[in-house]
Amino acid sequence: MSAQRWQQAAGGPGATAAGAGSAAAAGVPGAAATGPGATAAGAGSAAAAGVPGAAATGPGATAAGAGSAAAAGVPGAAATGPGATAAGAGSAAAAGVPGAAATGPGATAAGDVILTVQGVDVWLSGRKILDRVSFELRAGQLAGLIGANGSGKTTLFRTILGLQRPSVGSVVIGASQAQRRRRHTPVGYVPQKFELDPDLPLRARDLVELGIDQPRLGVPLRHRARRALVDQALESVDALRFADARVGRLSGGEQQRVLIAHALVGRPRLLLLDEPLANLDISSGEEVVSLLAKIASEQSIAVLVSSHEINPLLPVMDRVVYLADGRAASGSTHEVVRAEVLSRLYRHHVDVLHVHGRVVVLAGPGELTDLSGHDADLPAGSVPGHDADLSAGSVPGHDADLSAGSVPGHDADLSAGSVLP
Amino acid sequence: MSAVLASLFASGFFSSEAVQIALGVGVIVAIVAAPVGVLTVIRRQSFAGHAFGDIGTAGASASFLVGLTPLWGLLLANLAGGAAMEGAGVERARSRDIATGIVLGAALSLAALFLYLDMTSTSTTGQTVTILFGSIFAIPTSTLPLAGGLGGVVLLVTLIFARPLLLSSVSPEIASAKGLPVRALSLLFLLTLGLAAALAAVTIGTILSTALLIGPAASALRLTKRPLSAVLLSALIGIFAIVVGIVLAYDSYRWPPGDRTWPVSFFVVMLVFAAYLLSGVPDLVRRRRQDSWSAAGGARSGAGQRSTGDDRSTGGQRSGAGQRARGHEPHHRGGAGPLGEMEA
């Protein structure tokens, strides 16, 4: 993964802005906030992460923002230059997780840019669904795609998967353009709604096996090598104990693990999960979230998780891509979940309040909305969540999350309705 | 021993050419129906399978009018019908059923016309009965290689595309995210299902063809959790139903009213039905065992709960016994089957 092809966003000159914030910059509020909605390019220099060649900055077009620098335990990386010069560490995974070696020859070095979404516009039946969306994602990072229903999350996923062609802009995965190499794009995908028939004649391991080498033809015969791959994938999601159960009779959370294993067994460099928390109770949601963080760092892949609430993802997110009415703001949570950034994004005045370790976003007078949760006291080190010992308990807002767990999503929906023009 | 064999296989069973052809075509159909049936049940497209029966009726009755082998008529009608169903919109499950229903209705109205013309041109209802309920002992010799070739094509297609078909059946979303052409796969499967339905219709008639496609597969899916064993088991159940059905039909020559065999399709479908009922037994037994297990757990946790546990356990026993009794029902009812009288 050396050659980064930067597509010139046809979106225009004003599209990109300087986002020179870093996670460590939490203590440096003066750092330039992410630009006016359109782009917040977090082009951390991979050189800092010890990976030469990946340091790809466009011809001045994109400004750099250090992605979760503190995560790597390199607070010094926070010393970002103003705007143009890129500086910053890739992600915590760059700190050298030994598990990365286990992912085989196709593995990418931590910190490489895996996904570049550049000035993407998508029109569907005369409506602009995505409006100059730009962000990028590196190996080992877990990013939350946060937005209310109808904000464009699913369309963005479809665009990344190559199922939806952007009218302007580009999606680059690794070094290949998604829409060109659609059939071989190494993207794992876990859809939101899956209803597996209880009588489906598939064990969990059979479903995972179907993820190898699709669209390979032929009969699903069992080979030792394939079985080892399947076992490995199941183990990485802690699903070996129900590997031989009928997959349709597993619980929702268990089925989700199996589907994640199905996606992982194809050795993707990018894993997309559409609202994985929507149908889970809070404790299984927490398990899935920490599992995803573990996968991102150990297998050194980029993970993009969509959710209509931000709080459950807060403990583990390296990046957040915040969608509102098709526009996106991206960066670390500290960069994005701020009153001025969200106000620009929504084109409406928004207040961000910190309540019991969570963030409540107030949109307009008297309209209580909770778009996100982000803790002012949250130490930068706990944001990335790559530390193996990072348990839910180490997050200050843990209890608050639990107690208010059912409320946020509801409010987020409300806010979308009230804020969007 | 030989007496038993003699009573089981009436004289001339093995030397009869009609029986040999019937067995050959029947076994081919049972094998072909297995993978197609399993996929049909997984994809919940049993209704489409049934529609192919009705579409095939139109094709077979038309082929009689022009003097073609019925299999050709079945084939062409089903391929056209499959394309029409796909064209009418099968993207979502709901519109899929509507599209299937509309095509089915159109096909049946054509069948009504062609069957009427068949009857007026020959002044008998013999062909109508043959089309609707099959007459496996009257299959022309020339059909055997044709059926074999078609069966081979269907098997080949399902085996080659097994993995993509399976994945797109389990989750079209994941499949299309992987770049699989879900729509094309759906059409391919529909056409394959049409071919298999045409083959099944030759043996047991258009109306009952679905039973041979769906029944063994549905039974197998209740017994195993592995895709490959589901297909093998489904083939075994199908072969069993067809072969035993043919034997019983041949024997029925000696049964009342005499000098005539009962329709093979009656035996085959009833055997398939019995297999389906029996295939539910293991699950019932398992549930009953789980109940008694939880009853034992209840005993450990206190006397008050033990009685409820015991109640549940006996309840399970009762329903298990009821299921077994129902499993034998088709055999008893077989004596007075309405289809027996319909053989002209």
Side-chain angles (χ1 to χ4, degrees), chain B residues 289-336:
Chain B
R289 232 182 256 151
Q290 270 168 11
D291 280 351
S292 42
W293 184 82
S294 62
R300 244 179 276 127
S301 63
Q305 285 182 357
R306 192 196 298 150
S307 64
T308 26
D310 286 344
D311 284 347
R312 230 182 300 141
S313 149
T314 42
Q317 231 158 7
R318 258 199 306 276
S319 67
Q323 187 67 30
R324 272 193 296 281
R326 257 175 277 138
H328 289 297
E329 212 171 50
H331 297 303
H332 299 314
R333 228 195 257 155

mmCIF file of all heavy atoms in Angstrom, chain B residues 289-336:
data_model
loop_
_atom_site.group_PDB
_atom_site.id
_atom_site.type_symbol
_atom_site.label_atom_id
_atom_site.label_comp_id
_atom_site.label_asym_id
_atom_site.label_seq_id
_atom_site.Cartn_x
_atom_site.Cartn_y
_atom_site.Cartn_z
ATOM 1 N N ARG B 289 -36.874 -33.175 25.822
ATOM 2 C CA ARG B 289 -35.719 -33.423 26.675
ATOM 3 C C ARG B 289 -35.305 -32.140 27.394
ATOM 4 O O ARG B 289 -34.967 -32.138 28.557
ATOM 5 C CB ARG B 289 -34.564 -33.950 25.820
ATOM 6 C CG ARG B 289 -33.983 -35.245 26.378
ATOM 7 C CD ARG B 289 -32.809 -35.695 25.539
ATOM 8 N NE ARG B 289 -33.160 -36.816 24.669
ATOM 9 C CZ ARG B 289 -32.578 -37.056 23.505
ATOM 10 N NH1 ARG B 289 -31.636 -36.251 23.060
ATOM 11 N NH2 ARG B 289 -32.929 -38.095 22.786
ATOM 12 N N GLN B 290 -35.353 -31.042 26.644
ATOM 13 C CA GLN B 290 -34.993 -29.769 27.272
ATOM 14 C C GLN B 290 -35.961 -29.452 28.399
ATOM 15 O O GLN B 290 -35.570 -28.965 29.453
ATOM 16 C CB GLN B 290 -35.052 -28.650 26.228
ATOM 17 C CG GLN B 290 -33.719 -28.451 25.526
ATOM 18 C CD GLN B 290 -33.854 -27.571 24.304
ATOM 19 O OE1 GLN B 290 -34.885 -26.944 24.097
ATOM 20 N NE2 GLN B 290 -32.825 -27.532 23.486
ATOM 21 N N ASP B 291 -37.228 -29.774 28.173
ATOM 22 C CA ASP B 291 -38.223 -29.521 29.210
ATOM 23 C C ASP B 291 -37.925 -30.339 30.450
ATOM 24 O O ASP B 291 -37.989 -29.835 31.571
ATOM 25 C CB ASP B 291 -39.625 -29.855 28.690
ATOM 26 C CG ASP B 291 -40.155 -28.723 27.828
ATOM 27 O OD1 ASP B 291 -39.501 -27.661 27.809
ATOM 28 O OD2 ASP B 291 -41.193 -28.899 27.182
ATOM 29 N N SER B 292 -37.595 -31.607 30.247
ATOM 30 C CA SER B 292 -37.336 -32.429 31.430
ATOM 31 C C SER B 292 -36.030 -32.021 32.081
ATOM 32 O O SER B 292 -35.867 -32.125 33.291
ATOM 33 C CB SER B 292 -37.320 -33.918 31.067
ATOM 34 O OG SER B 292 -36.639 -34.133 29.867
ATOM 35 N N TRP B 293 -35.125 -31.477 31.267
ATOM 36 C CA TRP B 293 -33.892 -30.967 31.847
ATOM 37 C C TRP B 293 -34.198 -29.779 32.756
ATOM 38 O O TRP B 293 -33.725 -29.675 33.869
ATOM 39 C CB TRP B 293 -32.936 -30.535 30.745
ATOM 40 C CG TRP B 293 -31.599 -30.094 31.253
ATOM 41 C CD1 TRP B 293 -30.539 -30.881 31.590
ATOM 42 C CD2 TRP B 293 -31.177 -28.758 31.515
ATOM 43 N NE1 TRP B 293 -29.497 -30.119 32.040
ATOM 44 C CE2 TRP B 293 -29.856 -28.810 32.006
ATOM 45 C CE3 TRP B 293 -31.795 -27.504 31.399
ATOM 46 C CZ2 TRP B 293 -29.142 -27.672 32.378
ATOM 47 C CZ3 TRP B 293 -31.078 -26.376 31.750
ATOM 48 C CH2 TRP B 293 -29.764 -26.466 32.237
ATOM 49 N N SER B 294 -35.041 -28.884 32.249
ATOM 50 C CA SER B 294 -35.386 -27.731 33.066
ATOM 51 C C SER B 294 -36.235 -28.164 34.256
ATOM 52 O O SER B 294 -36.229 -27.537 35.302
ATOM 53 C CB SER B 294 -36.119 -26.677 32.237
ATOM 54 O OG SER B 294 -37.319 -27.207 31.746
ATOM 55 N N ALA B 295 -36.943 -29.272 34.098
ATOM 56 C CA ALA B 295 -37.696 -29.798 35.230
ATOM 57 C C ALA B 295 -36.734 -30.273 36.312
ATOM 58 O O ALA B 295 -36.942 -30.033 37.500
ATOM 59 C CB ALA B 295 -38.588 -30.962 34.793
ATOM 60 N N ALA B 296 -35.663 -30.911 35.886
ATOM 61 C CA ALA B 296 -34.655 -31.356 36.840
ATOM 62 C C ALA B 296 -34.035 -30.149 37.526
ATOM 63 O O ALA B 296 -33.794 -30.151 38.737
ATOM 64 C CB ALA B 296 -33.582 -32.172 36.131
ATOM 65 N N GLY B 297 -33.795 -29.099 36.758
ATOM 66 C CA GLY B 297 -33.260 -27.878 37.339
ATOM 67 C C GLY B 297 -34.221 -27.303 38.358
ATOM 68 O O GLY B 297 -33.830 -26.829 39.413
ATOM 69 N N GLY B 298 -35.493 -27.386 38.017
ATOM 70 C CA GLY B 298 -36.512 -26.902 38.943
ATOM 71 C C GLY B 298 -36.497 -27.690 40.232
ATOM 72 O O GLY B 298 -36.673 -27.144 41.328
ATOM 73 N N ALA B 299 -36.269 -29.006 40.145
ATOM 74 C CA ALA B 299 -36.247 -29.847 41.325
ATOM 75 C C ALA B 299 -35.118 -29.418 42.249
ATOM 76 O O ALA B 299 -35.274 -29.416 43.475
ATOM 77 C CB ALA B 299 -36.054 -31.308 40.912
ATOM 78 N N ARG B 300 -34.013 -29.028 41.631
ATOM 79 C CA ARG B 300 -32.886 -28.606 42.444
ATOM 80 C C ARG B 300 -33.187 -27.295 43.157
ATOM 81 O O ARG B 300 -32.809 -27.079 44.277
ATOM 82 C CB ARG B 300 -31.651 -28.452 41.559
ATOM 83 C CG ARG B 300 -30.554 -29.435 41.919
ATOM 84 C CD ARG B 300 -29.368 -29.278 41.003
ATOM 85 N NE ARG B 300 -29.545 -30.029 39.764
ATOM 86 C CZ ARG B 300 -29.409 -29.487 38.558
ATOM 87 N NH1 ARG B 300 -29.106 -28.216 38.425
ATOM 88 N NH2 ARG B 300 -29.580 -30.218 37.486
ATOM 89 N N SER B 301 -33.890 -26.431 42.461
ATOM 90 C CA SER B 301 -34.062 -25.109 43.044
ATOM 91 C C SER B 301 -35.237 -25.047 44.014
ATOM 92 O O SER B 301 -35.412 -24.071 44.703
ATOM 93 C CB SER B 301 -34.257 -24.068 41.936
ATOM 94 O OG SER B 301 -35.429 -24.353 41.235
ATOM 95 N N GLY B 302 -36.046 -26.043 44.081
ATOM 96 C CA GLY B 302 -37.096 -26.008 45.094
ATOM 97 C C GLY B 302 -38.280 -26.887 44.759
ATOM 98 O O GLY B 302 -38.559 -27.169 43.603
ATOM 99 N N ALA B 303 -38.978 -27.310 45.782
ATOM 100 C CA ALA B 303 -40.103 -28.210 45.572
ATOM 101 C C ALA B 303 -41.235 -27.520 44.840
ATOM 102 O O ALA B 303 -41.954 -28.125 44.069
ATOM 103 C CB ALA B 303 -40.589 -28.742 46.922
ATOM 104 N N GLY B 304 -41.390 -26.234 45.102
ATOM 105 C CA GLY B 304 -42.502 -25.512 44.492
ATOM 106 C C GLY B 304 -42.389 -25.522 42.976
ATOM 107 O O GLY B 304 -43.390 -25.627 42.276
ATOM 108 N N GLN B 305 -41.167 -25.457 42.491
ATOM 109 C CA GLN B 305 -41.010 -25.389 41.044
ATOM 110 C C GLN B 305 -41.018 -26.762 40.399
ATOM 111 O O GLN B 305 -41.167 -26.875 39.207
ATOM 112 C CB GLN B 305 -39.701 -24.683 40.698
ATOM 113 C CG GLN B 305 -39.803 -23.173 40.915
ATOM 114 C CD GLN B 305 -38.526 -22.475 40.524
ATOM 115 O OE1 GLN B 305 -37.569 -23.123 40.157
ATOM 116 N NE2 GLN B 305 -38.519 -21.166 40.619
ATOM 117 N N ARG B 306 -40.827 -27.738 41.230
ATOM 118 C CA ARG B 306 -40.715 -29.069 40.635
ATOM 119 C C ARG B 306 -42.013 -29.472 39.947
ATOM 120 O O ARG B 306 -42.013 -30.042 38.868
ATOM 121 C CB ARG B 306 -40.350 -30.099 41.699
ATOM 122 C CG ARG B 306 -39.937 -31.427 41.101
ATOM 123 C CD ARG B 306 -39.949 -32.525 42.128
ATOM 124 N NE ARG B 306 -39.011 -32.271 43.197
ATOM 125 C CZ ARG B 306 -39.190 -32.710 44.450
ATOM 126 N NH1 ARG B 306 -40.259 -33.407 44.761
ATOM 127 N NH2 ARG B 306 -38.314 -32.458 45.388
ATOM 128 N N SER B 307 -43.121 -29.138 40.595
ATOM 129 C CA SER B 307 -44.396 -29.579 40.019
ATOM 130 C C SER B 307 -44.615 -28.924 38.654
ATOM 131 O O SER B 307 -45.046 -29.563 37.715
ATOM 132 C CB SER B 307 -45.538 -29.236 40.965
ATOM 133 O OG SER B 307 -45.624 -27.836 41.098
ATOM 134 N N THR B 308 -44.263 -27.644 38.535
ATOM 135 C CA THR B 308 -44.431 -27.020 37.222
ATOM 136 C C THR B 308 -43.547 -27.707 36.190
ATOM 137 O O THR B 308 -43.961 -27.934 35.067
ATOM 138 C CB THR B 308 -44.067 -25.521 37.267
ATOM 139 O OG1 THR B 308 -43.142 -25.329 38.320
ATOM 140 C CG2 THR B 308 -45.271 -24.664 37.401
ATOM 141 N N GLY B 309 -42.345 -28.013 36.629
ATOM 142 C CA GLY B 309 -41.417 -28.681 35.715
ATOM 143 C C GLY B 309 -41.991 -30.001 35.232
ATOM 144 O O GLY B 309 -41.974 -30.301 34.046
ATOM 145 N N ASP B 310 -42.553 -30.747 36.149
ATOM 146 C CA ASP B 310 -43.115 -32.038 35.769
ATOM 147 C C ASP B 310 -44.280 -31.861 34.811
ATOM 148 O O ASP B 310 -44.439 -32.599 33.849
ATOM 149 C CB ASP B 310 -43.585 -32.790 37.016
ATOM 150 C CG ASP B 310 -42.394 -33.337 37.806
ATOM 151 O OD1 ASP B 310 -41.292 -33.391 37.207
ATOM 152 O OD2 ASP B 310 -42.544 -33.684 38.963
ATOM 153 N N ASP B 311 -45.083 -30.860 35.088
ATOM 154 C CA ASP B 311 -46.227 -30.607 34.205
ATOM 155 C C ASP B 311 -45.746 -30.371 32.779
ATOM 156 O O ASP B 311 -46.274 -30.918 31.826
ATOM 157 C CB ASP B 311 -46.982 -29.355 34.675
ATOM 158 C CG ASP B 311 -47.811 -29.662 35.912
ATOM 159 O OD1 ASP B 311 -47.974 -30.877 36.225
ATOM 160 O OD2 ASP B 311 -48.257 -28.722 36.557
ATOM 161 N N ARG B 312 -44.703 -29.541 32.700
ATOM 162 C CA ARG B 312 -44.221 -29.198 31.368
ATOM 163 C C ARG B 312 -43.718 -30.460 30.662
ATOM 164 O O ARG B 312 -43.926 -30.667 29.494
ATOM 165 C CB ARG B 312 -43.088 -28.168 31.476
ATOM 166 C CG ARG B 312 -43.301 -26.986 30.572
ATOM 167 C CD ARG B 312 -42.128 -26.034 30.688
ATOM 168 N NE ARG B 312 -41.987 -25.547 32.039
ATOM 169 C CZ ARG B 312 -40.803 -25.369 32.639
ATOM 170 N NH1 ARG B 312 -39.705 -25.675 32.007
ATOM 171 N NH2 ARG B 312 -40.725 -24.902 33.856
ATOM 172 N N SER B 313 -43.041 -31.289 31.457
ATOM 173 C CA SER B 313 -42.457 -32.485 30.868
ATOM 174 C C SER B 313 -43.543 -33.412 30.315
ATOM 175 O O SER B 313 -43.444 -33.910 29.208
ATOM 176 C CB SER B 313 -41.615 -33.196 31.931
ATOM 177 O OG SER B 313 -41.622 -34.562 31.697
ATOM 178 N N THR B 314 -44.600 -33.602 31.090
ATOM 179 C CA THR B 314 -45.662 -34.475 30.575
ATOM 180 C C THR B 314 -46.356 -33.844 29.390
ATOM 181 O O THR B 314 -46.778 -34.510 28.464
ATOM 182 C CB THR B 314 -46.698 -34.770 31.668
ATOM 183 O OG1 THR B 314 -46.953 -33.569 32.369
ATOM 184 C CG2 THR B 314 -46.205 -35.852 32.595
ATOM 185 N N GLY B 315 -46.439 -32.513 29.422
ATOM 186 C CA GLY B 315 -47.051 -31.823 28.285
ATOM 187 C C GLY B 315 -46.276 -32.129 27.012
ATOM 188 O O GLY B 315 -46.854 -32.414 25.975
ATOM 189 N N GLY B 316 -44.965 -32.106 27.156
ATOM 190 C CA GLY B 316 -44.122 -32.409 26.006
ATOM 191 C C GLY B 316 -44.368 -33.819 25.508
ATOM 192 O O GLY B 316 -44.472 -34.066 24.316
ATOM 193 N N GLN B 317 -44.527 -34.730 26.479
ATOM 194 C CA GLN B 317 -44.754 -36.121 26.111
ATOM 195 C C GLN B 317 -46.052 -36.259 25.318
ATOM 196 O O GLN B 317 -46.107 -36.930 24.325
ATOM 197 C CB GLN B 317 -44.881 -36.943 27.388
ATOM 198 C CG GLN B 317 -43.979 -38.152 27.403
ATOM 199 C CD GLN B 317 -43.735 -38.613 28.821
ATOM 200 O OE1 GLN B 317 -44.338 -38.111 29.772
ATOM 201 N NE2 GLN B 317 -42.837 -39.549 28.979
ATOM 202 N N ARG B 318 -47.062 -35.565 25.813
ATOM 203 C CA ARG B 318 -48.353 -35.664 25.147
ATOM 204 C C ARG B 318 -48.249 -35.205 23.705
ATOM 205 O O ARG B 318 -48.692 -35.885 22.803
ATOM 206 C CB ARG B 318 -49.376 -34.807 25.892
ATOM 207 C CG ARG B 318 -50.302 -35.620 26.772
ATOM 208 C CD ARG B 318 -51.542 -34.838 27.105
ATOM 209 N NE ARG B 318 -51.262 -33.543 27.683
ATOM 210 C CZ ARG B 318 -51.008 -33.337 28.972
ATOM 211 N NH1 ARG B 318 -50.987 -34.338 29.807
ATOM 212 N NH2 ARG B 318 -50.764 -32.124 29.428
ATOM 213 N N SER B 319 -47.650 -34.039 23.529
ATOM 214 C CA SER B 319 -47.620 -33.515 22.169
ATOM 215 C C SER B 319 -46.736 -34.392 21.276
ATOM 216 O O SER B 319 -47.002 -34.552 20.099
ATOM 217 C CB SER B 319 -47.121 -32.061 22.174
ATOM 218 O OG SER B 319 -45.771 -32.026 22.573
ATOM 219 N N GLY B 320 -45.717 -34.971 21.895
ATOM 220 C CA GLY B 320 -44.870 -35.864 21.106
ATOM 221 C C GLY B 320 -45.660 -37.058 20.607
ATOM 222 O O GLY B 320 -45.591 -37.434 19.438
ATOM 223 N N ALA B 321 -46.464 -37.624 21.494
ATOM 224 C CA ALA B 321 -47.260 -38.782 21.093
ATOM 225 C C ALA B 321 -48.256 -38.394 20.004
ATOM 226 O O ALA B 321 -48.478 -39.114 19.038
ATOM 227 C CB ALA B 321 -47.990 -39.340 22.305
ATOM 228 N N GLY B 322 -48.834 -37.207 20.181
ATOM 229 C CA GLY B 322 -49.813 -36.755 19.194
ATOM 230 C C GLY B 322 -49.171 -36.629 17.818
ATOM 231 O O GLY B 322 -49.750 -37.021 16.810
ATOM 232 N N GLN B 323 -47.946 -36.110 17.819
ATOM 233 C CA GLN B 323 -47.256 -35.920 16.548
ATOM 234 C C GLN B 323 -46.996 -37.266 15.876
ATOM 235 O O GLN B 323 -47.170 -37.431 14.685
ATOM 236 C CB GLN B 323 -45.935 -35.195 16.803
ATOM 237 C CG GLN B 323 -45.187 -34.790 15.560
ATOM 238 C CD GLN B 323 -45.951 -33.725 14.810
ATOM 239 O OE1 GLN B 323 -46.676 -32.929 15.403
ATOM 240 N NE2 GLN B 323 -45.825 -33.703 13.496
ATOM 241 N N ARG B 324 -46.616 -38.244 16.693
ATOM 242 C CA ARG B 324 -46.337 -39.558 16.111
ATOM 243 C C ARG B 324 -47.592 -40.150 15.503
ATOM 244 O O ARG B 324 -47.585 -40.700 14.427
ATOM 245 C CB ARG B 324 -45.757 -40.490 17.181
ATOM 246 C CG ARG B 324 -44.255 -40.388 17.286
ATOM 247 C CD ARG B 324 -43.689 -41.525 18.096
ATOM 248 N NE ARG B 324 -44.138 -41.498 19.484
ATOM 249 C CZ ARG B 324 -43.609 -40.689 20.405
ATOM 250 N NH1 ARG B 324 -42.654 -39.879 20.082
ATOM 251 N NH2 ARG B 324 -44.052 -40.707 21.643
ATOM 252 N N ALA B 325 -48.712 -39.986 16.223
ATOM 253 C CA ALA B 325 -49.970 -40.535 15.708
ATOM 254 C C ALA B 325 -50.306 -39.876 14.378
ATOM 255 O O ALA B 325 -50.686 -40.527 13.427
ATOM 256 C CB ALA B 325 -51.085 -40.280 16.716
ATOM 257 N N ARG B 326 -50.094 -38.565 14.341
ATOM 258 C CA ARG B 326 -50.403 -37.871 13.097
ATOM 259 C C ARG B 326 -49.474 -38.329 11.976
ATOM 260 O O ARG B 326 -49.843 -38.352 10.824
ATOM 261 C CB ARG B 326 -50.279 -36.353 13.310
ATOM 262 C CG ARG B 326 -51.624 -35.692 13.453
ATOM 263 C CD ARG B 326 -51.451 -34.225 13.772
ATOM 264 N NE ARG B 326 -51.233 -34.019 15.191
ATOM 265 C CZ ARG B 326 -50.337 -33.179 15.678
ATOM 266 N NH1 ARG B 326 -49.567 -32.505 14.876
ATOM 267 N NH2 ARG B 326 -50.210 -33.023 16.970
ATOM 268 N N GLY B 327 -48.271 -38.699 12.366
ATOM 269 C CA GLY B 327 -47.331 -39.166 11.360
ATOM 270 C C GLY B 327 -47.826 -40.399 10.623
ATOM 271 O O GLY B 327 -47.496 -40.620 9.471
ATOM 272 N N HIS B 328 -48.648 -41.206 11.271
ATOM 273 C CA HIS B 328 -49.121 -42.414 10.610
ATOM 274 C C HIS B 328 -50.384 -42.170 9.803
ATOM 275 O O HIS B 328 -50.788 -43.002 9.033
ATOM 276 C CB HIS B 328 -49.402 -43.492 11.662
ATOM 277 C CG HIS B 328 -48.142 -44.029 12.264
ATOM 278 N ND1 HIS B 328 -47.202 -44.692 11.530
ATOM 279 C CD2 HIS B 328 -47.662 -43.964 13.532
ATOM 280 C CE1 HIS B 328 -46.191 -45.031 12.305
ATOM 281 N NE2 HIS B 328 -46.433 -44.587 13.529
ATOM 282 N N GLU B 329 -50.967 -41.031 10.028
ATOM 283 C CA GLU B 329 -52.262 -40.752 9.437
ATOM 284 C C GLU B 329 -52.328 -40.980 7.925
ATOM 285 O O GLU B 329 -53.256 -41.633 7.453
ATOM 286 C CB GLU B 329 -52.670 -39.327 9.763
ATOM 287 C CG GLU B 329 -54.155 -39.167 9.898
ATOM 288 C CD GLU B 329 -54.478 -37.787 10.439
ATOM 289 O OE1 GLU B 329 -53.967 -36.802 9.892
ATOM 290 O OE2 GLU B 329 -55.216 -37.701 11.397
ATOM 291 N N PRO B 330 -51.361 -40.467 7.190
ATOM 292 C CA PRO B 330 -51.481 -40.606 5.736
ATOM 293 C C PRO B 330 -51.633 -42.055 5.273
ATOM 294 O O PRO B 330 -52.355 -42.319 4.306
ATOM 295 C CB PRO B 330 -50.181 -40.001 5.208
ATOM 296 C CG PRO B 330 -49.322 -39.736 6.377
ATOM 297 C CD PRO B 330 -50.211 -39.650 7.560
ATOM 298 N N HIS B 331 -50.994 -42.968 5.972
ATOM 299 C CA HIS B 331 -51.118 -44.362 5.555
ATOM 300 C C HIS B 331 -52.557 -44.846 5.683
ATOM 301 O O HIS B 331 -53.070 -45.528 4.836
ATOM 302 C CB HIS B 331 -50.199 -45.239 6.407
ATOM 303 C CG HIS B 331 -48.771 -44.889 6.209
ATOM 304 N ND1 HIS B 331 -48.166 -44.904 4.985
ATOM 305 C CD2 HIS B 331 -47.815 -44.481 7.093
ATOM 306 C CE1 HIS B 331 -46.902 -44.531 5.103
ATOM 307 N NE2 HIS B 331 -46.669 -44.266 6.376
ATOM 308 N N HIS B 332 -53.177 -44.465 6.805
ATOM 309 C CA HIS B 332 -54.564 -44.901 6.995
ATOM 310 C C HIS B 332 -55.467 -44.271 5.953
ATOM 311 O O HIS B 332 -56.314 -44.901 5.365
ATOM 312 C CB HIS B 332 -55.040 -44.517 8.399
ATOM 313 C CG HIS B 332 -54.223 -45.161 9.471
ATOM 314 N ND1 HIS B 332 -53.896 -46.490 9.438
ATOM 315 C CD2 HIS B 332 -53.634 -44.655 10.586
ATOM 316 C CE1 HIS B 332 -53.148 -46.786 10.494
ATOM 317 N NE2 HIS B 332 -52.969 -45.680 11.199
ATOM 318 N N ARG B 333 -55.233 -42.989 5.767
ATOM 319 C CA ARG B 333 -56.108 -42.292 4.853
ATOM 320 C C ARG B 333 -55.906 -42.796 3.417
ATOM 321 O O ARG B 333 -56.768 -42.642 2.570
ATOM 322 C CB ARG B 333 -55.813 -40.794 4.905
ATOM 323 C CG ARG B 333 -57.078 -39.976 5.035
ATOM 324 C CD ARG B 333 -56.773 -38.546 4.724
ATOM 325 N NE ARG B 333 -56.682 -37.761 5.943
ATOM 326 C CZ ARG B 333 -55.977 -36.643 6.016
ATOM 327 N NH1 ARG B 333 -55.286 -36.232 4.976
ATOM 328 N NH2 ARG B 333 -55.925 -35.952 7.117
ATOM 329 N N GLY B 334 -54.755 -43.384 3.199
ATOM 330 C CA GLY B 334 -54.439 -43.837 1.857
ATOM 331 C C GLY B 334 -55.501 -44.753 1.271
ATOM 332 O O GLY B 334 -55.712 -44.772 0.068
ATOM 333 N N GLY B 335 -56.192 -45.493 2.116
ATOM 334 C CA GLY B 335 -57.180 -46.456 1.628
ATOM 335 C C GLY B 335 -58.313 -45.793 0.872
ATOM 336 O O GLY B 335 -58.911 -46.398 -0.008
ATOM 337 N N ALA B 336 -58.614 -44.556 1.221
ATOM 338 C CA ALA B 336 -59.787 -43.940 0.594
ATOM 339 C C ALA B 336 -59.410 -42.618 -0.050
ATOM 340 O O ALA B 336 -60.133 -41.652 0.012
ATOM 341 C CB ALA B 336 -60.877 -43.721 1.636
#
